[in-house]
Amino acid sequence: MFISVHLSGVRRFMRALCGEDQYERYLDHWHRHHSGAGAPLSRKAFFREQTERKWNGIKRCC
């Protein structure tokens, strides 16, 4: 029991570290703050929007 509790904590930490839980966090935020405004994005649309936001525009250090 002790080991399984710690392993699930490690799994949650690793998912957060890698960004794998982004969609779940988005849904949680959406339900708390925007639930009266239509429907949330689908998982596919969410990640497409995130990718476009990340890679559009000028990306350079100088």
Side-chain angles (χ1 to χ4, degrees):
M1 177 82 170
F2 178 76
I3 293 174
S4 66
V5 169
H6 286 302
L7 286 178
S8 68
V10 169
R11 182 176 183 272
R12 280 193 313 271
F13 173 75
M14 293 302 292
R15 287 186 76 223
L17 187 65
C18 296
E20 191 176 315
D21 66 344
Q22 284 181 341
Y23 184 68
E24 288 83 9
R25 289 187 295 138
Y26 158 74
L27 287 178
D28 182 48
H29 170 84
W30 188 89
H31 285 294
R32 284 187 282 120
H33 298 283
H34 309 285
S35 61
L41 295 173
S42 67
R43 180 179 291 270
K44 186 176 181 176
F46 172 78
F47 282 109
R48 181 180 17 211
E49 185 178 283
Q50 293 295 315
T51 302
E52 288 174 7
R53 187 173 55 120
K54 180 179 179 181
W55 294 106
N56 285 341
I58 298 172
K59 304 291 184 204
R60 60 181 184 203
C61 65
C62 312

